[in-house]
Amino acid sequence: MSQPPAKDHWTPGVVEHSDKPPQGWLEALAWYTQRKPVFTGGNEVTLLQGGRDLFPALCERIDQAQHSVWMALYIVSPMGQSSAVLQSLMGAAQRGVEVSMVVDGVGSRDAPASLWRALEDAGVRLVVYKPLHWLWGLMDAGQWRRMHLKLCVVDDDVGFIGGINLIDDHYDLSHGWSENPRLDYAVSVRGAVVMPILHTIRAMWTRAQFGRDWRDDLVQWVQDPHRLQRLKQMWQSASLRLSPQEQEQLMDDGDTMLPMRSAFVLRDNLRQRRTIEQAALRAIVHARQCIDIVTPYFYPRRAMRQALRAAAERGVTVRLLLQGKLDYRIAGMAAQVLYDELQQVGVRIFEYQPAFLHAKVLCVDEEWATVGSSNLDPLSMVLNLEGNLIVRDRGFVQTLSHSLQADFAQSREVSPPDTLHDRRWRTRVRRAVVAFLAKAYLRMGGSTGRY
């Protein structure tokens, strides 16, 4: 894995990219060009809580894989529960299944080099998205934009998406082992919505591969008499574009046996910069009864805060479930400086007590829900690559809401202050500090717009 020299350093081998682009690439219409969610019917979505549900489901599907497994992950750790998934991936590759895995260069930097060697020795096609270079990395704005995705697709048929990294529920990279499991959610999906998830993983894999071996690719391209065609193929592989046939399949709502309407939404730094944020904002604006938000990192734009305030003022029950046990103190302070503003209009704020909270969930009126990797903070909203699934199905959303009720029951509600006068100046100072740090971080990531 490309990272600073270490005692147990590993250098990835060259991986041949054999994927061919769909035919008719110029005429292809892309779900990616749509800045609003593209909903399809005929999907099957199953809720998974924590690695205790996700990892066995992953292992079962990977062990049954016939031809391909694609994964895009922020954090990979071989400790505890997650080791079973890694063993399944190596087993699949050894029996001839094409296993392709892209990991983030920052999120997975602490994994042992022996793990990456074992995966490659087993035949896994492993690439690193933006490896971290300590000497000059902080000066490169692109290094602040990370691949925060948690995606998997097996045999182009079953997909997994959510906020759960490939790491044990009881283990944290910064804080070690804990008695209680981290709170997190993911979903497994089948149906037309799997296709854009697959294309996203493939595009991230190609971008990481090209970014790592660009010098070799450039030399080969110059020497290749068919270089324009090869460049077109490389661009197609790294793009989020569906062929006309795939587009037709994606838009086909004819399957009434599995009626769930779902949409995969992406946040990147090209076309879909605010797709996830705008989808959440629209759901909040149209809420009639209740809004439940679960996120560890809460520092949304002013527009979303105003939408939450407006919902509470018109009688919608608005509840936030945030971290009670902080993994990063600055993230906790960022959320806390907004408490008074929201509580003044009746927004109820809860802090999860048993363990770390990592879930990213939004439920509206028990009819609309999203589960994925995106937090409601500047990193997720402006810099990182994120992926969420939106589900419009009363049965699924009620199942998710019922699970969230248990999470709220294990949380402490934060009481509004009796008086704001004594705390007003301290709140202003803390808000100013948080705003300054957020702005500085976004500037380092190359963002010059207002947040």
Side-chain angles (χ1 to χ4, degrees):
M1 187 175 188
S2 299
Q3 46 184 310
K7 185 181 294 184
D8 190 19
H9 182 57
W10 169 77
T11 302
V14 175
V15 180
E16 293 295 333
H17 184 39
S18 60
D19 302 301
K20 296 181 180 180
Q23 297 298 316
W25 72 285
L26 284 175
E27 297 80 13
L29 299 175
W31 68 271
Y32 177 68
T33 63
Q34 306 299 319
R35 294 186 176 180
K36 294 182 179 180
V38 178
F39 283 90
T40 63
N43 297 294
E44 181 181 13
V45 185
T46 303
L47 182 66
L48 303 168
Q49 182 170 350
R52 70 185 187 193
D53 288 347
L54 174 62
F55 297 158
L58 277 172
C59 289
E60 180 181 3
R61 293 297 179 181
I62 295 170
D63 291 343
Q64 297 173 0
Q66 298 296 310
H67 60 83
S68 67
V69 178
W70 288 85
M71 297 193 82
L73 295 164
Y74 181 64
I75 295 176
V76 177
S77 169
M79 308 288 284
Q81 298 169 320
S82 55
S83 63
V85 180
L86 294 167
Q87 291 298 322
S88 290
L89 289 170
M90 290 187 281
Q94 288 170 340
R95 67 173 186 272
V97 175
E98 184 177 72
V99 179
S100 306
M101 186 177 186
V102 53
V103 300
D104 185 77
V106 169
S108 296
R109 70 188 183 277
D110 292 330
S114 57
L115 170 62
W116 310 125
R117 282 197 296 265
L119 287 166
E120 281 204 329
D121 290 345
V124 175
R125 304 194 313 160
L126 178 68
V127 293
V128 182
Y129 183 85
K130 292 186 179 180
L132 180 64
H133 300 285
W134 288 107
L135 294 180
W136 61 86
L138 296 179
M139 304 301 294
D140 179 6
Q143 287 286 342
W144 297 84
R145 300 170 180 262
R146 305 314 311 179
M147 187 195 73
H148 198 234
L149 303 168
K150 293 90 175 174
L151 305 174
C152 178
V153 173
V154 180
D155 286 344
D156 303 354
D157 178 55
V158 180
F160 297 86
I161 178 172
I164 304 174
N165 289 294
L166 199 55
I167 184 172
D168 192 288
D169 288 341
H170 295 262
Y171 184 67
D172 183 86
L173 294 178
S174 300
H175 301 275
W177 293 93
S178 61
E179 180 179 355
N180 294 318
R182 180 172 44 249
L183 177 62
D184 215 338
Y185 284 97
V187 293
S188 65
V189 297
R190 300 187 71 173
V193 77
V194 173
M195 191 185 306
I197 299 174
L198 173 62
H199 274 254
T200 298
I201 305 174
R202 288 163 62 100
M204 294 304 105
W205 193 97
T206 300
R207 292 179 192 179
Q209 173 68 9
F210 179 64
R212 189 185 69 189
D213 297 325
W214 66 271
R215 296 178 181 85
D216 293 336
D217 284 325
L218 182 60
V219 171
Q220 294 177 21
W221 180 74
V222 171
Q223 297 174 346
D224 189 348
H226 305 290
R227 53 184 173 270
L228 290 180
Q229 181 180 1
R230 185 166 181 266
L231 180 63
K232 180 177 70 175
Q233 292 176 346
M234 291 174 63
W235 172 257
Q236 173 62 35
S237 297
S239 299
L240 296 167
R241 180 181 286 112
L242 306 185
S243 70
Q245 294 81 8
E246 290 171 321
Q247 183 74 11
E248 182 179 351
Q249 178 183 345
L250 181 65
M251 298 306 295
D252 182 9
D253 280 350
D255 190 345
T256 58
M257 297 300 292
L258 300 172
M260 286 189 180
R261 292 182 58 80
S262 305
F264 174 68
V265 284
L266 179 74
R267 202 226 75 84
D268 73 355
N269 297 299
L270 297 172
R271 178 73 176 176
Q272 304 232 26
R273 293 176 182 269
R274 298 188 65 184
T275 304
I276 293 177
E277 181 182 9
Q278 290 295 332
L281 186 59
R282 282 192 294 271
I284 292 169
V285 167
H286 290 97
R288 303 182 306 275
Q289 298 173 345
C290 60
I291 299 171
D292 283 340
I293 295 177
V294 183
T295 182
Y297 310 124
F298 181 80
Y299 191 73
R301 294 181 196 263
R302 180 178 299 176
M304 185 167 289
R305 301 201 307 270
Q306 289 175 338
L308 291 171
R309 288 170 56 94
E313 288 175 335
R314 67 175 181 267
V316 176
T317 300
V318 181
R319 300 190 302 176
L320 306 182
L321 180 54
L322 309 176
Q323 292 191 81
K325 184 177 182 180
L326 301 180
D327 52 1
Y328 300 107
R329 189 169 297 277
I330 184 62
M333 186 172 77
Q336 291 164 5
V337 298
L338 303 178
Y339 283 10
D340 291 346
E341 168 190 338
L342 296 171
Q343 287 178 320
Q344 287 178 23
V345 293
V347 175
R348 300 178 65 187
I349 299 175
F350 297 77
E351 293 178 343
Y352 188 69
Q353 297 300 308
F356 290 120
L357 182 153
H358 194 256
K360 302 97 165 57
V361 174
L362 170 59
C363 279
V364 178
D365 291 345
E366 293 192 351
E367 295 179 355
W368 186 102
T370 182
V371 179
S373 68
S374 181
N375 295 293
L376 296 179
D377 71 341
L379 274 69
S380 285
M381 296 289 98
V382 179
L383 298 181
N384 290 342
L385 293 162
E386 307 281 3
N388 279 32
L389 187 77
I390 301 175
V391 183
R392 298 178 64 178
D393 179 85
R394 179 172 288 273
F396 172 83
V397 180
Q398 286 180 344
T399 298
L400 177 56
S401 296
H402 180 75
S403 185
L404 294 183
Q405 284 297 116
D407 301 332
F408 275 100
Q410 298 183 75
S411 305
R412 178 184 67 86
E413 183 166 8
V414 179
S415 301
D418 294 331
T419 175
L420 297 178
H421 178 75
D422 293 336
R423 294 177 51 181
R424 189 167 294 157
W425 69 271
R426 278 180 279 181
T427 298
R428 288 177 178 175
V429 171
R430 295 176 73 190
R431 288 191 69 150
V433 170
V434 170
F436 173 80
L437 294 176
K439 184 176 182 179
Y441 197 100
L442 292 177
R443 286 293 177 89
M444 288 187 288
S447 175
T448 57
R450 295 184 63 185
Y451 185 82

